[in-house]
Amino acid sequence: MLEKPAGKVVLTISGQISNKNHDNDAVFDMSMLGKLPQHTIATHTPWLPGVSRFTGPYLEDVLALVGARGKMLKAIALNDYKTDIPLEDASRFNIVLALLLNGKPMPVRDKGPLFIVYPYDSQPELRSELYYSRSAWQLKTLQVE
């Protein structure tokens, strides 16, 4: 059973999920995401200089919490950017749903509050436009299809 958010909702997960806490959706505030096990990826990205440290729960853990079942995630950002992420990416690559960048919360103007980050430096195939395009920042919604 998912708890109800006490603070401002920062993420809505809809579609093929079995655990819901708001109508047909699962909604999260920062505190709920912060209670999940946190992981840090230190990696280069095309958007920031040098190595950046991204911290948050694994996307796979968030999807397991809502009982996601499907083949594809449609990630939608605050600026209406949309990208499709195969559900299997979450388990294959230890994607982090980043809440922190270099130990600090990310304001909306700096790609926050949530950023889907692959461990780009871990495998050469991840350093490509395909995976960079799946990395939605200012994430607001995940639709499980």
Side-chain angles (χ1 to χ4, degrees):
M1 182 74 185
L2 276 180
E3 66 180 281
K4 299 258 189 213
K8 178 178 181 251
V9 170
V10 294
L11 178 64
T12 300
I13 304 177
S14 62
Q16 294 185 51
I17 60 173
S18 52
N19 299 325
K20 303 164 184 158
N21 61 2
H22 184 265
D23 298 325
N24 279 323
D25 300 331
V27 294
F28 293 85
D29 62 15
M30 290 302 267
S31 172
M32 292 168 67
L33 293 170
K35 288 178 186 172
L36 291 166
Q38 302 292 295
H39 305 276
T40 299
I41 294 174
T43 189
H44 291 87
T45 76
W47 312 287
L48 299 163
V51 173
S52 299
R53 294 169 46 82
F54 297 92
T55 303
Y58 282 141
L59 181 59
E60 182 178 31
D61 291 346
V62 176
L63 295 173
L65 190 61
V66 301
R69 57 195 186 286
K71 297 274 185 235
M72 193 66 70
L73 289 174
K74 184 174 291 299
I76 304 167
L78 292 170
N79 64 0
D80 290 326
Y81 175 79
K82 295 178 179 71
T83 187
D84 291 329
I85 302 169
L87 208 62
E88 69 179 21
D89 274 15
S91 56
R92 274 184 68 202
F93 298 118
N94 287 334
I95 299 168
V96 164
L97 181 58
L99 315 176
L100 303 175
L101 169 58
N102 297 323
K104 298 186 176 121
M106 296 173 284
V108 169
R109 71 178 180 279
D110 290 328
K111 304 187 177 1
L114 302 174
F115 190 166
I116 294 174
V117 180
Y118 284 74
Y120 309 107
D121 289 350
S122 69
Q123 297 177 40
E125 74 177 286
L126 293 178
R127 291 189 296 275
S128 69
E129 193 53 45
L130 174 67
Y131 293 100
Y132 294 148
S133 71
R134 293 177 181 172
S135 300
W137 57 73
Q138 297 179 335
L139 180 70
K140 69 171 180 179
T141 305
L142 289 171
Q143 295 171 353
V144 183
E145 301 172 346

